[in-house]
Amino acid sequence: MEALGAPGAGAAIALENLFPPLPSEVILPLAGFTAAQGKMGLWAALLWTTLGSVVGALALYGVGAALGRERLIALAVRLPLVKVKDIEKTERWFLRHGAKAVFLGRMIPVFRSLISVPAGVERMSVPVFTVLTTVGSAIWNTLFVLAGYRLGEDWERVTEAVGLYSKAVIGFAALAVLAFLAVRVARPGSGRRRA
């Protein structure tokens, strides 16, 4: 960010979308702190980080669209403990809640990146996906950039507070995966094949 300014913050956030282990909860407050130092403008930080979020999300949307439903089904058949009917349920769920999932998913750690893939697989309208991603990302980014801007040199306090939120989300997801595995091991079978 010091070398490239606001475009550097945008590039970091685009990479965070593609590689979720890079935490936006660190990048965004740091961008706010950098803006508070006068090394980039606050509006530029907000604009570029949101643009970076959209670019990263569109790249993952493209991966989902390129992969497509049939390849996803073909991959699922080869994976242990995954049934075709699970993929079908996920498809139906996304078709019912796609817009809400994309919008709200932009504000949930890890899922903010992953939600773009099913949107691409289901070929959600690109303009709708882009608008939902832009608005959801703008809200998330603004909260963290402004927090870093206001806290100044204490910007790391933001990451500590959000770390608890992230850990809770990841812990819940881990429990859900364990419950899924327990049920799947108890009831083996490949599920039904789609028509």
Side-chain angles (χ1 to χ4, degrees):
M1 279 183 239
E2 286 188 4
L4 300 175
I13 289 297
L15 289 173
E16 177 265 337
N17 275 267
L18 298 172
F19 306 104
L22 294 173
S24 66
E25 299 87 351
V26 172
I27 298 167
L28 294 169
L30 182 56
F33 170 66
T34 305
Q37 297 282 303
K39 296 177 182 172
M40 73 172 87
L42 178 59
W43 286 109
L46 294 170
L47 176 71
W48 280 97
T49 55
T50 300
L51 181 62
S53 294
V54 173
V55 167
L58 284 170
L60 286 176
Y61 177 98
V63 168
L67 186 63
R69 184 177 289 112
E70 295 310 315
R71 285 190 191 146
L72 184 65
I73 296 287
L75 285 171
V77 169
R78 296 179 187 182
L79 295 174
L81 305 176
V82 176
K83 296 180 181 180
V84 173
K85 69 179 181 181
D86 294 330
I87 302 296
E88 292 170 341
K89 282 182 195 173
T90 303
E91 287 174 349
R92 285 192 299 271
W93 180 86
F94 192 85
L95 289 172
R96 273 196 314 270
H97 305 290
K100 288 183 278 188
V102 169
F103 175 71
L104 296 173
R106 297 304 302 166
M107 296 174 244
I108 300 173
V110 179
F111 298 102
R112 51 187 269 105
S113 297
L114 299 178
I115 195 63
S116 301
V117 176
V121 169
E122 293 300 327
R123 302 292 176 126
M124 176 182 242
S125 161
V126 174
V128 170
F129 175 79
T130 303
V131 167
L132 293 169
T133 298
T134 301
V135 174
S137 297
I139 292 169
W140 177 263
N141 294 354
T142 299
L143 289 172
F144 286 97
V145 170
L146 288 179
Y149 187 84
R150 298 236 180 225
L151 288 172
E153 292 188 11
D154 291 333
W155 66 270
E156 291 177 339
R157 286 189 352 203
V158 177
T159 62
E160 292 168 12
V162 176
L164 296 173
Y165 170 63
S166 296
K167 287 176 186 168
V169 168
I170 291 169
F172 177 77
L175 287 175
V177 167
L178 289 174
F180 168 80
L181 291 174
V183 168
R184 191 48 43 90
V185 168
R187 288 188 292 161
S190 61
R192 62 186 177 81
R193 185 76 182 155
R194 283 184 352 142

